[in-house]
């Protein structure tokens, strides 16, 4: 799995004069959310996380970023959240519950719940253990391009 598929989301902002707030669109879904673009960005990230939570609760694979033509800027949800989205998809794909994964790793329900929570930070070593247990050990590649 490639992190790029889940990391960057295209955002479209529209200022609603009547509401005096920004509507932010991600996945083609709009949310009226904030009086500043920074606030709208925060809500866009929450919308991504909420959609991922719905998909996971319904045992569906999270599709990741969508290719849209008309956008204003890119939202980067960060590598920690991306790895967790990928881990959730792996759990769904392998039909393994988070509690079962926790049991295999010797983690409590609270610990495994925190480990896959998109809004909490998780140590890379813990995520690596999770992926390895599911038969997909993490591999980190750096693509250094030579500049002449």
């Amino acid at each position: 799995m490639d992190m790029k598929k889940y990391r960057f989301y295209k955002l479209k902002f529209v200022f609603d004069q009547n509401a005096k707030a920004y509507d932010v669109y991600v996945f083609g879904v709009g949310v009226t959310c904030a009086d500043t673009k920074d606030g709208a960005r925060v809500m866009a990230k929450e919308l991504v996380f909420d959609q991922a939570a719905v998909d996971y609760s319904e045992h569906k694979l999270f599709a990741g970023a969508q290719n849209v033509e008309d956008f204003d800027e890119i939202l980067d949800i960060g590598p920690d959240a991306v790895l967790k989205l990928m881990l959730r998809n792996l759990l769904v794909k392998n039909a393994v519950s988070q509690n079962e994964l926790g049991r295999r790793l010797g983690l409590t329900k609270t610990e495994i719940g925190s480990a896959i929570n998109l809004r909490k930070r998780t140590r890379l070593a813990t995520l690596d253990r999770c992926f390895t247990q599911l038969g997909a050990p993490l591999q980190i590649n750096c693509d250094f391009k030579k500049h002449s």
Side-chain angles (χ1 to χ4, degrees):
M1 291 185 270
D2 188 350
M3 290 180 70
K4 291 178 198 168
K5 178 179 178 184
Y6 303 97
R7 185 164 182 178
F8 303 103
Y9 296 82
K10 295 176 180 178
L11 303 180
K12 178 73 178 168
F13 295 102
V14 177
F15 187 73
D16 182 337
Q17 291 290 352
N18 294 329
K20 301 276 191 263
Y22 282 93
D23 294 340
V24 61
Y25 292 83
V26 62
F27 304 123
V29 176
V31 177
T32 300
C33 55
D35 56 358
T36 67
K37 276 192 175 181
D38 287 340
R41 262 185 232 92
V42 169
M43 291 306 295
K45 187 173 182 178
E46 290 299 315
L47 184 61
V48 171
F49 288 0
D50 289 347
Q51 183 60 55
V54 167
D55 289 353
Y56 184 65
S57 71
E58 295 175 355
H59 306 287
K60 294 180 185 174
L61 296 175
F62 181 66
Q66 310 263 325
N67 189 13
V68 293
E69 297 295 324
D70 185 25
F71 67 96
D72 295 322
E73 64 182 70
I74 302 291
L75 171 69
D76 179 353
I77 65 168
D80 188 70
V82 171
L83 287 171
K84 291 173 184 182
L85 289 173
M86 294 168 65
L87 178 60
R88 286 175 171 199
N89 275 355
L90 196 56
L91 287 167
V92 169
K93 193 174 184 178
N94 291 343
V96 174
S97 71
Q98 73 183 48
N99 290 337
E100 172 60 19
L101 178 61
R103 186 193 64 73
R104 292 179 189 178
L105 295 171
L107 301 174
T108 66
K109 287 182 180 185
T110 302
E111 289 170 328
I112 193 63
S114 291
I116 69 166
N117 185 325
L118 298 174
R119 291 171 177 88
K120 294 186 177 185
R121 296 198 183 270
T122 304
R123 291 178 36 235
L124 184 58
T126 302
L127 291 171
D128 183 45
R129 286 180 57 212
C130 292
F131 278 97
T132 300
Q133 179 58 235
L134 294 169
L138 286 179
Q139 296 177 348
I140 299 173
N141 296 320
C142 295
D143 186 15
F144 292 106
K145 304 212 188 262
K146 292 186 177 186
H147 298 281
S148 5

